[in-house]
């Protein structure tokens, strides 16, 4: 019998709403704090913010990959792929200009 990695597909609606709310909250917080695109652009000419802008997303991606690999490893069962569907073989018959 086929054993799936996840028995039920999860809805991403809640995650989409939560991430949109977090983005709106962060943007409004930045505007209240006085961060404008002009002041953020002046920070981009310094070396440290440029390194942070590259390394922070890269580090988050690395931790997400490690988390998923650990979650799969600790689960014990690797996901099993469904067997490939075999097409029924037909008997050979001559084509155009054959036989």
């Amino acid at each position: 019998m086929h054993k799936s990695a996840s028995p039920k597909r999860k809805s991403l609606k809640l995650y989409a709403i939560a991430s949109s709310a977090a983005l709106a909250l962060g943007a409004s917080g930045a505007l209240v704090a006085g961060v404008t695109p002009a002041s953020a652009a002046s920070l981009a000419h310094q070396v440290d913010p440029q390194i942070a802008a590259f390394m922070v997303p890269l580090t988050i991606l690395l931790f997400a990959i490690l988390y998923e690999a650990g979650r799969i490893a600790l689960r014990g069962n690797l996901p099993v792929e469904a067997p490939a569907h075999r097409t029924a073989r037909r008997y050979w018959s001559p084509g155009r200009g054959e036989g």
Side-chain angles (χ1 to χ4, degrees):
M1 178 168 206
H2 176 72
K3 188 173 184 179
S4 176
S6 59
K8 185 173 97 174
R9 186 175 178 129
K10 296 179 182 177
S11 174
L12 296 177
K13 187 176 182 180
L14 178 64
Y15 297 119
I17 292 171
S19 63
S20 297
L23 180 66
L25 185 66
S28 62
L31 288 175
V32 168
V35 177
T36 60
S39 65
S42 68
L43 289 175
H45 293 293
Q46 299 171 0
V47 175
D48 291 338
Q50 289 177 355
I51 293 172
F54 173 71
M55 289 303 295
V56 168
L58 188 64
T59 305
I60 292 171
L61 178 64
L62 178 69
F63 282 134
I65 291 171
L66 288 174
Y67 170 76
E68 286 296 321
R71 187 177 62 87
I72 290 172
L74 291 176
R75 182 184 299 160
N77 295 341
L78 292 177
V80 178
E81 293 183 13
H85 180 69
R86 291 185 166 203
T87 57
R89 292 187 181 209
R90 297 182 181 180
Y91 292 105
W92 179 83
S93 62
R96 283 188 179 177
E98 293 182 347

